[in-house]
Amino acid sequence: MPLAELAAAHGTPLYVYSGATIAARYRAVDDAFAGYPHSLHYALKANSTLAIVRLLRSLGSRVDANSGGEIDVALRAGFIPPEIVFTGVAKTDSELAQAIDLGVKTINAESEGELERIDALARRRQTRARVAVRVNPDIDARSHPHISTGLKTNKFGVSIDDARDLCLRMRDRPGLEIVALHAHVGSQIMDLEPLRGAAATVAALARELLAGGLPLEHLDLGGGLGISYDGTPAPTAQAYAEAILAGLGDIDMSIVLEPGRNIVGPAGALVTRVVDVKPQPGGKQFVILDGGMTELIRPMLYNAFHRIEPVVTRDSPEALVDVVGPLCESSDTLGKDRRMPTPAVGDLVAVLDAGAYGAVMASNYNRRTMPAEVLVQDGRPALIKRRQTIDDLLALEL
Ligand code: LLP
């Protein structure tokens, strides 16, 4: 699908997604666990544009929602409550009530305080809420510190000892049904050992609790599997499954997984247009795009690397460039010290692997409007989100 055609039709900056890539990646993870009872709960936080969520649903996925808003999106995309797990470190009472009233598969509780609140809310409704207890296994995911979540100094979950204690103390609460243990140690994990270790830690506790008569149903092992942003090999879905299953050992329990990035990351590109090219002292050039940190904040926030490629190649000589966006700060840089044939003003440039944590993290800084999004399926492009207008933006203001 020529990106130039899509950019001409819908303008830039523009997110473009490949439905075929999403389907292939979903199936790769699903197939890797074939033979072991599992369900994939796609992490909506990675990309929750409705059409993408519906596509995942059509592939057989279930979902991990991290807010009341994501629960609503899941329902509107056609998921039923038992297909939704509700995760998140600061679930409000109204979000918990929503999840309890719906009857989601599990509310993954992060603390004693949250379990107390769930119990109280469920009792008031004369029901029992299905909960998972999130364990913080104190494992270093060896990813960027901003997206590592499994160390005891991180705000997530409770220690293994506290989890054991909570499960035993809370098991007879009339408002609670403790059905699972949960762990998620980080994102963009490229080294499978922490994932194996987390599975092993959670499985060991589950064995103990099962032996003590707590009727746990499943283990939720979170998401986290990384992708290659720079072309160096990333772990395969197969290797990921082997690591997880090795960690579980001989335990006889079904698993829930919450992959996000791995499924949608490589399926999306941010297409931008060159607005200006200007020399820097020392011979480098600035390639200045009409999209930047407002559309894709990952390079700024995590020092993340995304490949940046001209959409149409030119014969111009390769130059050393900094690829920057339009925003009013120097942190608005999508790529530093890149080599590319010097583009001309008006050329299109694609920022690759932007399907996860791209559009969902966009902002209106500088009164910039949210980009449009296109999903290509079976060779046909569909506009799945129109570009926000300044009127849309101002409509909220009183
Ligand atoms: N489950 C839980 C409880 C999570 O917190 C996350 C991600 C996932 C699943 C999905 O993880 P994944 O499979 O996508 O790695 N904005 C950051 C990533 C933040 C991830 C937050 N939690 C980035 O752009 O790198």
Side-chain angles (χ1 to χ4, degrees):
M1 176 60 56
L3 292 177
E5 270 178 32
L6 300 179
H10 302 292
T12 54
L14 179 71
Y15 271 101
V16 179
Y17 308 111
S18 158
T21 301
I22 293 173
R25 298 192 68 88
Y26 176 84
R27 292 201 180 103
V29 179
D30 196 34
D31 288 350
F33 285 92
Y36 193 91
H38 68 280
S39 50
L40 302 187
H41 285 245
Y42 166 67
L44 290 170
K45 57 179 77 71
N47 186 322
S48 62
T49 307
L50 269 175
I52 304 276
V53 183
R54 288 197 193 102
L55 168 59
L56 265 310
R57 181 170 173 272
S58 76
L59 297 169
S61 185
R62 297 169 180 197
V63 287
D64 154 24
N66 202 64
S67 66
E70 285 188 353
I71 292 179
D72 276 337
V73 166
L75 296 173
R76 288 178 202 213
F79 287 95
I80 55 169
E83 295 171 333
I84 302 172
V85 295
F86 184 26
T87 61
V89 78
K91 305 179 198 78
T92 63
D93 279 2
S94 71
E95 288 174 317
L96 290 172
Q98 175 192 14
I100 295 167
D101 290 338
L102 284 167
V104 298
K105 181 180 173 78
T106 56
I107 300 173
N108 293 7
E110 300 253 353
S111 69
E112 175 161 8
E114 185 182 340
L115 285 166
E116 292 284 5
R117 287 191 295 132
I118 298 170
D119 180 39
L121 288 162
R123 278 203 233 185
R124 223 172 290 151
R125 292 168 165 71
Q126 293 177 331
T127 182
R128 292 184 89 181
R130 290 168 53 85
V131 296
V133 174
R134 179 163 178 179
V135 178
N136 180 326
D138 196 22
I139 285 175
D140 184 356
R142 299 174 207 161
S143 180
H144 190 282
H146 290 189
I147 54 175
S148 294
T149 50
L151 285 174
K152 64 180 176 208
T153 47
N154 299 134
K155 67 184 174 184
F156 301 96
V158 295
S159 73
I160 201 85
D161 289 336
D162 288 349
R164 176 189 305 107
D165 178 55
L166 280 176
C167 287
L168 297 177
R169 279 196 292 119
M170 300 268 183
R171 61 187 292 175
D172 296 323
R173 289 295 184 93
L176 298 179
E177 194 184 349
I178 301 175
V179 297
L181 299 177
H182 175 219
H184 168 82
V185 293
S187 191
Q188 185 51 16
I189 299 174
M190 297 297 268
D191 171 353
L192 296 171
E193 174 49 30
L195 290 167
R196 188 207 62 78
T201 306
V202 173
L205 177 58
R207 270 189 203 93
E208 219 185 297
L209 292 168
L210 283 169
L214 187 74
L216 293 174
E217 290 173 9
H218 68 265
L219 299 177
D220 181 340
L221 300 172
L225 178 60
I227 60 173
S228 172
Y229 282 100
D230 62 2
T232 56
T236 61
Q238 201 58 44
Y240 169 61
E242 280 162 20
I244 295 275
L245 297 180
L248 291 177
D250 60 1
I251 200 162
D252 186 20
M253 283 177 90
S254 63
I255 53 169
V256 162
L257 298 159
E258 302 167 351
R261 182 192 321 264
N262 194 266
I263 312 269
V264 294
L270 174 63
V271 182
T272 61
R273 206 175 277 285
V274 177
V275 173
D276 200 2
V277 178
K278 73 174 174 185
Q280 306 183 28
K284 268 208 287 183
Q285 314 242 36
F286 284 116
V287 172
I288 305 175
L289 306 177
D290 67 359
M293 64 182 256
T294 37
E295 288 70 38
L296 183 66
I297 202 174
R298 303 195 67 260
M300 170 191 180
L301 198 54
Y302 316 112
N303 208 10
F305 179 91
H306 284 258
R307 285 174 290 166
I308 301 176
E309 305 213 335
V311 169
V312 179
T313 44
R314 292 190 170 270
D315 287 339
S316 50
E318 280 228 327
L320 188 61
V321 303
D322 290 337
V323 183
V324 300
L327 279 294
C328 58
E329 47 184 288
S330 299
S331 55
D332 182 28
T333 298
L334 291 175
K336 247 191 140 40
D337 295 328
R338 304 298 179 89
R339 288 203 169 274
M340 60 163 65
T342 313
V345 169
D347 279 6
L348 293 171
V349 166
V351 186
L352 303 187
D353 302 308
Y357 308 110
V360 282
M361 294 178 78
S363 81
N364 292 122
Y365 189 34
N366 283 198
R367 287 291 191 185
R368 291 170 56 77
T369 53
M370 297 284 175
E373 298 176 43
V374 167
L375 173 63
V376 180
Q377 276 182 290
D378 302 322
R380 281 189 305 276
L383 183 67
I384 59 169
K385 184 172 177 181
R386 71 167 169 81
R387 185 175 306 283
Q388 192 180 35
T389 65
I390 195 74
D391 286 331
D392 293 331
L393 203 53
L394 288 170
L396 302 176
E397 295 179 30
L398 309 175

